[in-house]
Amino acid sequence: MNRLTASVCTAVVAVGASFALLAPSAVGAAPPNAVQRVLAGDLGAGRPWIRLQDDPSNSTRVPGIQEVSPFADPVRFNGSLHLAVDGGQQAQAAHYFTQPVPLSTIAAAELSYDTYVATTEHMATGVGPNLQLPMVCRGTFTTLGFLPENTTDTQGRPGVARDIWQHFRSTTATPWFTSRAVASFPAQTTHPLSDFVTACNAPGDGVIGVIANVGRFGDTSATLSTYVDNLTVNGTVYDFAVGGLATGRVSLRNTSSGGNCGHNRTCIPAGGERRSATGTVTFTDPANGPEYVAVGTRLVLSQGRSLAPRDLTVTANGRRVTLTAGPNHTLIGVVTPSPSVGLKPSGRYTTPIAISFTRGGRADRAGTNDSLTVSAELLAQGYAPLQRTGVLARTTLRG
């Protein structure tokens, strides 16, 4: 939705809760994973996802924190599952299928998830939340567990990193442990997933669900606070999310002198010593929106023709923004607050900006009636700092 007035040019764009799925790139390629949102109301007794204490077989275990959190994941930036323990607790969320699925089918599809381990006092080091597959193997129930500390994430980081999202993907060679003795595998031993696929193929064998889990520690003083999201099992991505959506707005006011704009304050004048506009980029988070960590802003400027960094000057927070050439004849600049700030539910992140064209630049020589489009995107920490979130806003200064 765009809103233009005679004195101020603004634009508001909301980001959707999910992204379009891409079609297979070739005939015979695997179909895309379906995305299934998991909201706070889907977690609890009698619901699609149950907590530790909702399973009567766990009555002797003390539950920790198991909740859908606004903490933004690194894919859709719309929330995540928070699992945390303290003092001998255990935390988990489990989803059970309507019927067993052969382990060979599970292993043939994408099997992955995202994890974040937050630094806490007395934290258990080197471990993270594990992905579990409760299943029947040779008629015996067990739980197969993926331990992130035993592998390398898809960003090339070995084991568990702190305070940043990691993406872990299992292959047939990835080690999994079995909680109980099944087939020829002793309890609490680790083996490649392919070994379990070969052994657990008797009639009635199969995976009955998926669990995100933080186990109990021998040291009862140890703590661990983690976030999990995008559990991908059997062709489905389980996306833990909050209900609200962040929005962005770019508001610019023409501050040029001279020219032929008259009282049209959204116009870029043809004459005068400078062509300039000032205003703000604002990202607003509703009360039920996500929580973003270490935010920034990505600016994209376009004019329908090739631009060079010398053609215009952009400042943000009173400091000049470095501009680099982008695709489709655009210029791109990144604004990073110092010190680092976050954007929480009910919060607002605002950046004052100013844009100016100096007389004699290529924009002047190219023509005087071209419009300048200013786009802004919220950046936040995901798999890496200043990752694009998909929260967008834009406005156009008419020539």
Side-chain angles (χ1 to χ4, degrees):
M1 175 179 65
N2 292 329
R3 296 188 297 177
L4 299 177
T5 68
S7 60
V8 179
C9 178
T10 65
V12 180
V13 180
V15 61
S18 61
F19 298 106
L21 295 173
L22 299 177
S25 58
V27 176
N33 294 310
V35 178
Q36 187 174 118
R37 295 183 73 196
V38 183
L39 303 176
D42 298 319
L43 182 61
R47 297 173 184 176
W49 285 78
I50 63 173
R51 304 160 300 176
L52 183 81
Q53 64 268 32
D54 300 324
D55 184 346
S57 66
N58 294 324
S59 60
T60 61
R61 305 190 177 213
V62 180
I65 296 174
Q66 307 137 118
E67 62 184 3
V68 175
S69 165
F71 193 80
D73 73 286
V75 177
R76 296 170 185 82
F77 286 90
N78 60 0
S80 56
L81 172 67
H82 186 201
L83 299 175
V85 296
D86 184 9
Q89 299 171 335
Q90 182 177 354
Q92 69 173 217
H95 172 70
Y96 291 99
F97 305 147
T98 56
Q99 60 185 17
V101 179
L103 183 58
S104 58
T105 300
I106 297 290
E110 181 180 350
L111 187 54
S112 65
Y113 70 136
D114 293 307
T115 71
Y116 185 104
V117 175
T119 299
T120 58
E121 187 177 6
H122 307 303
M123 73 174 296
T125 59
V127 296
N130 53 78
L131 178 67
Q132 296 184 344
L133 301 175
M135 67 170 298
V136 175
C137 177
R138 294 287 169 177
T140 300
F141 176 79
T142 190
T143 299
L144 299 186
F146 175 92
L147 301 179
E149 54 266 31
N150 290 346
T151 188
T152 299
D153 68 21
T154 57
Q155 294 80 42
R157 295 177 290 230
V160 175
R162 296 188 189 182
D163 301 317
I164 198 162
W165 281 99
Q166 297 179 271
H167 184 70
F168 290 98
R169 183 190 293 262
S170 175
T171 69
T172 54
T174 299
W176 287 67
F177 79 92
T178 176
S179 62
R180 299 183 183 180
V182 291
S184 61
F185 310 115
Q188 302 297 318
T189 58
T190 301
H191 309 272
L193 183 61
S194 58
D195 289 358
F196 291 108
V197 171
T198 300
C200 303
N201 60 358
D205 285 358
V207 177
I208 63 174
V210 58
I211 300 173
N213 176 77
V214 174
R216 296 176 294 181
F217 299 108
D219 179 2
T220 57
S221 66
T223 65
L224 193 65
S225 180
T226 74
Y227 298 86
V228 175
D229 209 347
N230 306 307
L231 282 72
T232 304
V233 181
N234 195 33
T236 299
V237 179
Y238 297 99
D239 170 32
F240 292 85
V242 294
L245 304 174
T247 59
R249 170 179 291 178
V250 180
S251 299
L252 290 174
R253 181 188 300 271
N254 168 49
T255 56
S256 302
S257 60
N260 57 2
C261 286
H263 295 293
N264 185 356
R265 300 298 298 279
T266 66
C267 164
I268 303 173
E273 293 296 319
R274 297 178 64 84
R275 301 174 178 186
S276 59
T278 61
T280 57
V281 175
T282 301
F283 296 101
T284 303
D285 209 1
N288 64 339
E291 176 185 351
Y292 303 90
V293 175
V295 298
T297 304
R298 182 177 187 264
L299 297 173
V300 180
L301 301 103
S302 61
Q303 201 178 28
R305 63 181 71 244
S306 181
L307 288 173
R310 65 177 179 273
D311 293 339
L312 66 157
T313 300
V314 178
T315 61
N317 295 317
R319 302 183 64 178
R320 186 163 179 168
V321 177
T322 298
L323 300 175
T324 58
N328 302 317
H329 310 300
T330 60
L331 292 178
I332 298 175
V334 173
V335 181
T336 307
S338 181
S340 176
V341 298
L343 177 59
K344 295 184 178 182
S346 299
R348 181 174 294 177
Y349 162 51
T350 298
T351 303
I353 64 172
I355 302 172
S356 66
F357 293 79
T358 57
R359 190 172 67 176
R362 290 201 306 166
D364 292 291
R365 296 197 304 270
T368 60
N369 294 318
D370 292 331
S371 298
L372 179 70
T373 298
V374 181
S375 302
E377 182 175 7
L378 179 67
L379 305 177
Q381 180 176 292
Y383 298 126
L386 298 178
Q387 185 177 321
R388 297 173 64 177
T389 67
V391 182
L392 300 167
R394 67 175 54 89
T395 194
T396 299
L397 292 169
R398 297 192 301 273

